[in-house]
Amino acid sequence: MSHIQSPILLQYLDALLKHGSFTKAAKDLYISQPYLTQTIKRTENDLGIEIVNRKSPQLQLTEAGKVYYRYLESIEESSEDLKRQLAKYSMTGKPTIRIAILPSLATYLLPLVLPVFKNKFPHISVTILEDVPKNNELLTIKEEVDFYIGQNPEAVSPSLITIDCGFQNYYAIIPPSSEFYCEGVQYLTENSISVEELLCQELVLTTNGSAIRRQIDRLLNRYKITPRIAFETSNVYTVAELAKQDLGVAFVPEGLVHATNSTAYNLYPITTTLISLEYFIAYPASKMLSENEKLFLDIFTTIVQKHTKKASS
């Protein structure tokens, strides 16, 4: 097997696939082209197969190369899993809270919570894993992280205990190109525009599979609308910014909306009877929380609930 460590070899292959040539890949990697060529050739000799198809106009992996590439990826994933599992046994001696969270939620929620937590409990370390909900939930069930922070808990596994942290409204960002744009104001009055008609505008959406997209899709299905999609992206912050730049109407959670006194676009509140975003924090039902974990849970729920609304009983 190759003497080159798998992360480095994976990086080399990624550069080759990106640039399609040894010369350009070597330049990007800040290594010489002969060294890169020899490294790949030596790996092929060790494996007894060709992993790079040099006959195609642009370098590609052979079928065997694709299998080897997936193998390298699996090594990386196993390594990351091991790091997460060992984190709580860190030799720093600091107790550690491990959090799994969606990147867009991390951007909004963690700056609210972590400064307060670290100020009160500086001796407790916090590690953050940002990933998609499916992976975050699985890691929590396997107890490779302590908490899973997410949104819209209706589909969360019963193997987890979920704690409601309140909900927020959605807002439509309406740019000047929309027929519903009102010049000279930022916030529009709730129920002053038909949501059904707004959904018929050109839309900027999060990609399929996201919690926010599922909610928007339910609205589209409710009104039997086939969306006119201008752009799709996995990052809801990007969705909001693209809408503000007049590239389509977007529907985003209240936490992403900040009063700027800008009238370059309108912000229109969507009634919660149609759509809302619920925040939660979850942990394994089989897990006995440590005192440090209880401290984090208490601070997280207290702070987030201050920034959200509570469902009426």
Side-chain angles (χ1 to χ4, degrees), residues 223-248:
Y223 293 113
K224 297 181 173 56
I225 295 170
T226 300
R228 294 192 292 137
I229 302 174
F231 291 95
E232 289 180 300
T233 172
S234 60
N235 191 315
V236 69
Y237 281 86
T238 305
V239 167
E241 291 307 312
L242 290 178
K244 291 175 184 178
Q245 294 302 317
D246 205 8
L247 294 176

Side-chain angles (χ1 to χ4, degrees), residues 119-133:
N119 184 53
K120 287 191 173 184
F121 307 104
H123 66 288
I124 304 176
S125 178
V126 178
T127 61
I128 304 164
L129 172 69
E130 297 183 34
D131 206 338
V132 296

